[in-house]
Amino acid sequence: MDAKRLLRSRLIAARAARPAAEITRARTLLADHGVAIAAGFSRVAAFAGVGTEPPTRELLDRLRSAGLTVLLPIVAEPVLHWATYTGWDDLVPAPFGLLQPPEPYEPPDALATVDLVLAPALAVDLQGNRLGWGKGYFDRALADIEPQRVVAVVFDDEVLDEVPVQPHDRKVGAALTPDGLRRLDG
């Protein structure tokens, strides 16, 4: 879909131009807000933000320090598997320039056991539509997860009025941004 491709290109360029001070600010605020929304939970699925993605290292470490089990995705064709996050320095290189925990892996249905999914996204819209990176891994993983349990992690300016959607795209219930948690109408 051309509209998705064009929007992805624009968002990726904007992320690459994001000032370092804004990224530093986002690192701490995402961790503050993420720990607050996970209060009372025991298992959370998240991702290791790399490159121009919102920085999640501090968030992951603080969730783990708060006693939560944090699962990170493992890219395994054609689905995601999951493994426990034990620390940033334990992560290993993965396909697409990602970082992932080493084995042992949990099964693909491990998401059914988590209280909250913090999902990567390039953008979300006010209706809860999530624009991912275009590989479909998270859409397939979220197929059986209620949108209310899924929070897209994005920068503040990546909550848009509308993003292009296709039938396979999965909705999210909220967006976690440096400014806080924003509930979506999805």
Side-chain angles (χ1 to χ4, degrees):
M1 176 181 242
D2 282 344
K4 277 189 171 186
R5 185 178 49 76
L6 292 172
L7 181 55
R8 278 190 189 104
S9 294
R10 184 175 64 80
L11 292 165
I12 290 167
R15 279 187 173 182
R18 196 167 300 277
E22 186 178 337
I23 295 167
T24 299
R25 173 184 171 273
R27 179 180 306 121
T28 300
L29 292 174
L30 288 171
D32 290 346
H33 299 308
V35 168
I37 65 172
F41 295 155
S42 61
R43 287 172 61 90
V44 173
F47 65 99
V50 296
T52 61
E53 290 183 305
T56 61
R57 180 179 185 167
E58 185 175 335
L59 171 60
L60 298 175
D61 289 339
R62 288 180 52 191
L63 290 169
R64 188 169 163 258
S65 293
L68 282 81
T69 299
V70 179
L71 301 181
L72 297 185
I74 307 298
V75 177
E77 296 289 338
V79 298
L80 295 178
H81 286 258
W82 303 88
T84 301
Y85 175 73
T86 57
W88 195 267
D89 293 336
D90 295 334
L91 298 178
V92 298
F96 312 115
L98 302 174
L99 293 173
Q100 66 188 30
E103 294 186 40
Y105 301 155
E106 295 199 18
D109 65 353
L111 278 191
T113 69
V114 302
D115 302 298
L116 175 70
V117 179
L118 298 171
L122 282 166
V124 294
D125 69 20
L126 300 176
Q127 296 74 45
N129 296 305
R130 174 187 158 273
L131 179 68
W133 289 90
K135 305 288 186 211
Y137 285 99
F138 261 86
D139 286 316
R140 286 188 293 277
L142 297 174
D144 297 322
I145 306 299
E146 303 85 8
Q148 311 88 285
R149 290 176 40 209
V150 183
V151 175
V153 181
V154 293
F155 291 101
D156 298 304
D157 58 353
E158 294 170 344
V159 178
L160 308 176
D161 290 336
E162 185 177 11
V163 299
V165 294
Q166 292 177 289
H168 68 269
D169 291 329
R170 299 294 174 221
K171 289 193 178 255
V172 301
L176 173 61
T177 74
D179 280 348
L181 184 68
R182 184 165 180 180
R183 297 278 176 205
L184 304 171
D185 291 334

